[in-house]
Amino acid sequence: MDFENIYNALLVFTLLNITDIITTWNVIRKYSEEHELNPIARWLIKKYKAGGLFLLKYFGMGFVVLIGLLTSNLAYSIWILNIILAGVTAWNSYVNYKLFTGGEKLKQN
């Protein structure tokens, strides 16, 4: 097992998740949880507020580790998720930029 690669993948994963939580919560705090596209995340946020985001991240990481261990490819699984999460974070950052510079308006609840 390549522990350095796993460590690097987990470090990037952690940083991307922190960024995702901040950018998602920024929009939800100002507008509403209805603007969350992921229905599972939306439900968790409605039920547990910011804690719902952390629950989603916690169980998401557990799922990735489980798949990685079952396939004997933990680092690869985390890097694939990092690519997806980088896209989500880029989109969240774009939405935040548009919303908070006045370039786009969302319905406030």
Side-chain angles (χ1 to χ4, degrees), residues 28-102:
I28 289 168
R29 182 176 47 91
K30 183 168 174 120
Y31 296 97
S32 82
E33 63 274 346
E34 294 304 319
H35 296 292
E36 171 59 54
L37 297 177
N38 178 339
I40 296 169
R42 188 180 324 118
W43 180 81
L44 286 169
I45 293 165
K46 281 182 180 179
K47 189 154 179 81
Y48 300 109
K49 304 294 178 206
L53 287 171
F54 288 100
L55 281 172
L56 182 68
K57 299 301 176 182
Y58 179 78
F59 286 111
M61 184 61 200
F63 179 74
V64 169
V65 168
L66 178 65
I67 295 299
L69 291 173
L70 290 174
T71 62
S72 301
N73 236 335
L74 182 58
Y76 180 75
S77 297
I78 297 169
W79 281 117
I80 293 295
L81 186 61
N82 282 344
I83 292 167
I84 295 166
L85 195 53
V88 169
T89 302
W91 175 254
N92 284 350
S93 298
Y94 171 75
V95 169
N96 272 275
Y97 171 77
K98 294 296 256 176
L99 291 175
F100 295 101
T101 60

